[in-house]
Amino acid sequence: MNQTIKDLFSFIQAAKTPFHAVAEAKKLLLEAGFAALNEADEWNLLPGHAYFTDRNGSALIAFRLPENEPDGFQIVASHSDSPSFKIKENAELASDVYVRLNVEPYGGMICSSWFDRPLSVAGRVLVKTETGVETRLISFDKDLLMIPNVAIHMNRSVNSGYAYNMAVDMMPLFGDGNAKGAFKKLVAEEAGCAADDILGNDLFLYNRMPGTEWGEANEFISAPRLDDLECAFSSLSALISADNPRSVAVAAILDNEEVGSGTKQGADSDFLPSVLHRVAAALGKEADFTRMTANSFMVSADNAHAVHPNHPEYADPTHRPAMNGGIVIKFNANQKYTTDGVSNALFEILCKRACVPYQFFANRSDLPGGSTLGNISNTHVSMNTVDIGLPQLAMHSAYETAGAKDPDFLIAALKEVFLASVKAKGNGSYTLL
Ligand code: CO
């Protein structure tokens, strides 16, 4: 297994929830010499230094300031969240013989992939303090739950298109009849506090299965949450190793993409523009902010669909991304993807600089396809943006599959994004330094 895949798997393993993804990202950034900033404090930013800040503990923006006066921003945006099940406030569903947890879906998952596999619980707990509350991240490092299938003898239709009911089929089993009242106690124990001192929580199920490399020549990788932790991890790796003398390099890992981005820490918020404005102000460029965004470039990085081995008919006849075939540039006439002729051209140049392969994706014209965060972010801070991702199978399964060679391609290309500077000439021509 190459070092990139090892590091990717260890990031994914740690990033069980968006809160844990941000905590792990902070750890990597601190090790790389980035300094932490609190949104609520005054920022004293120095040219040539690198920083990060978070919002809600579940979204993070890291940036590196150039030594010189900046031309603009070079941004890579991805998301920290993945489809899962959120545990409700009154968590226990008890009967005579069983205690289950009462969960509701977060995002659009493939339900069948969550059955008959060891699951556990992770998230954040708000603990009462003398003066207010304190956030503590918890994750149970044990097989704690299972969502059992109904035996085929009792559900003969399960192989011919079963409609899963979120309020009936998806409740994970937590214990036998003796487990009544145990869940809150377990959470308190894990958080290191008294059960009565827990004033709030955001807890999710997570798949216990670690990442694996497989296939005839180990050409495939499978892991939970590849969408979109593969892109989030790659953006951090690239930012850590890229020192741009002319532009502000920014990696934004935003939350709640899977539920439409419309939260204070999502792409449909003021988080990214507010950080960019504060950076511009600190560099004495606030009056030039619009000039900076005109000379900026953004990559909206969210995984893409590889052509499916058993269902190639779902892929467009002339857009059939292959795993290990390189970065996927996504197009959509209705601008669910931001890519246009300009942003595609600029990104192709950067891929060529990195010597990495790239391929194109568009939906079949009779399939609606998905959406992502690039176009939403552009309504708050607008700049030339390209939508890309790595090709994968089984998007939104609890265990997704991608190519083992592609993460290195993405890191190399994103490094070129962070090292570049775009100058808009105003006549449809651009200079790419
Ligand atoms: Co995604």
Side-chain angles (χ1 to χ4, degrees):
M1 195 182 288
N2 81 25
Q3 194 58 44
T4 303
I5 300 299
K6 269 189 207 157
D7 293 345
L8 170 66
F9 282 171
S10 98
F11 182 78
I12 288 174
Q13 183 95 342
K16 297 173 173 76
T17 69
F19 308 110
H20 293 81
V22 165
E24 188 64 13
K26 286 181 180 178
K27 209 174 94 189
L28 298 177
L29 292 164
L30 285 170
E31 279 167 15
F34 285 63
L37 299 167
N38 177 3
E39 267 204 297
D41 293 342
E42 195 182 327
W43 292 359
N44 294 304
L45 307 178
L46 299 170
H49 285 64
Y51 305 88
F52 63 83
T53 190
D54 76 88
R55 187 177 281 187
N56 190 50
S58 63
L60 173 130
I61 297 177
F63 53 92
R64 192 188 280 284
L65 304 181
E67 288 285 356
N68 310 311
E69 196 170 294
D71 295 331
F73 302 100
Q74 294 290 116
I75 303 174
V76 177
S78 59
H79 65 90
S80 60
D81 62 322
S82 302
S84 179
F85 291 88
K86 186 163 197 275
I87 299 171
K88 288 184 177 177
E89 211 58 26
N90 295 324
E92 287 188 13
L93 265 171
S95 71
D96 294 349
V97 286
Y98 294 125
V99 177
R100 294 170 298 155
L101 296 186
N102 191 356
V103 297
E104 60 182 318
Y106 173 86
M109 72 286 295
I110 299 175
C111 286
S112 60
S113 67
W114 285 81
F115 283 85
D116 302 333
R117 58 163 79 238
L119 305 172
S120 198
V121 172
R124 72 173 169 191
V125 172
L126 277 297
V127 181
K128 189 170 97 186
T129 65
E130 294 215 333
T131 52
V133 289
E134 175 192 313
T135 294
R136 292 186 195 168
L137 297 196
I138 66 164
S139 87
F140 293 95
D141 189 16
K142 76 182 283 276
D143 300 341
L144 190 64
L145 305 161
M146 192 84 67
I147 308 176
N149 257 300
V150 171
I152 189 109
H153 316 81
M154 295 163 183
N155 181 12
R156 299 275 180 196
S157 68
V158 71
N159 291 330
S160 50
Y162 182 72
Y164 295 99
N165 183 317
M166 291 295 184
V168 176
D169 292 298
M170 305 312 298
M171 299 297 153
L173 180 59
F174 168 61
D176 63 16
N178 298 315
K180 275 177 205 155
F183 184 65
K184 196 164 184 187
K185 281 184 208 147
L186 264 189
V187 169
E189 214 171 278
E190 192 66 24
C193 67
D196 287 346
D197 288 342
I198 295 181
L199 295 178
N201 60 70
D202 296 286
L203 299 175
F204 295 87
L205 306 190
Y206 78 90
N207 176 11
R208 291 281 292 159
M209 195 155 168
T212 186
E213 204 174 37
W214 59 278
E216 185 273 327
N218 280 346
E219 63 269 56
F220 302 126
I221 54 170
S222 293
R225 304 180 293 281
L226 284 174
D227 169 19
D228 190 29
L229 295 182
E230 214 180 4
C231 290
F233 168 80
S234 301
S235 74
L236 291 171
S237 302
L239 182 68
I240 283 168
S241 61
D243 205 347
N244 188 326
R246 290 174 302 266
S247 289
V248 183
V250 183
I253 302 175
L254 303 169
D255 194 7
N256 303 123
E257 190 276 338
E258 300 294 357
V259 294
S261 297
T263 59
K264 65 187 182 298
Q265 61 275 358
D268 200 359
S269 77
D270 68 350
F271 186 31
L272 180 61
S274 119
V275 169
L276 300 186
H277 276 287
R278 290 180 79 164
V279 166
L283 299 172
K285 299 274 286 181
E286 181 62 7
D288 295 329
F289 188 76
T290 317
R291 288 178 59 197
M292 284 183 78
T293 53
N295 288 322
S296 293
F297 186 63
M298 176 155 137
V299 174
S300 161
D302 196 359
N303 269 1
H305 303 297
V307 61
H308 194 281
N310 299 337
H311 284 283
E313 71 279 10
Y314 289 128
D316 182 74
T318 64
H319 298 86
R320 309 176 80 74
M323 291 183 286
N324 297 318
I327 298 162
V328 179
I329 305 176
K330 306 182 201 174
F331 291 85
N332 176 256
N334 295 300
Q335 291 294 295
K336 294 264 191 213
Y337 303 131
T338 53
T339 314
D340 57 18
V342 170
S343 60
N344 178 70
L346 296 173
F347 190 68
E348 278 197 41
I349 293 174
L350 296 170
C351 286
K352 288 193 170 119
R353 278 187 190 169
C355 298
V356 302
Y358 53 89
Q359 44 192 338
F360 301 118
F361 174 83
N363 287 300
R364 264 180 68 125
S365 301
D366 56 357
L367 285 177
S371 59
T372 181
L373 48 79
N375 58 346
I376 296 172
S377 179
N378 259 264
T379 63
H380 294 270
V381 56
S382 316
M383 59 186 67
N384 278 320
T385 303
V386 64
D387 265 283
I388 62 135
L390 291 182
Q392 71 158 93
L393 298 172
M395 190 176 284
H396 292 192
S397 169
Y399 206 62
E400 300 173 321
T401 290
K405 292 180 189 159
D406 290 322
D408 276 325
F409 294 149
L410 184 56
I411 292 168
L414 295 184
K415 204 171 156 181
E416 292 300 331
V417 171
F418 287 135
L419 288 173
S421 278
V422 173
K423 289 251 191 191
K425 291 179 150 181
N427 59 355
S429 299
Y430 296 82
T431 308
L432 203 48
L433 297 173

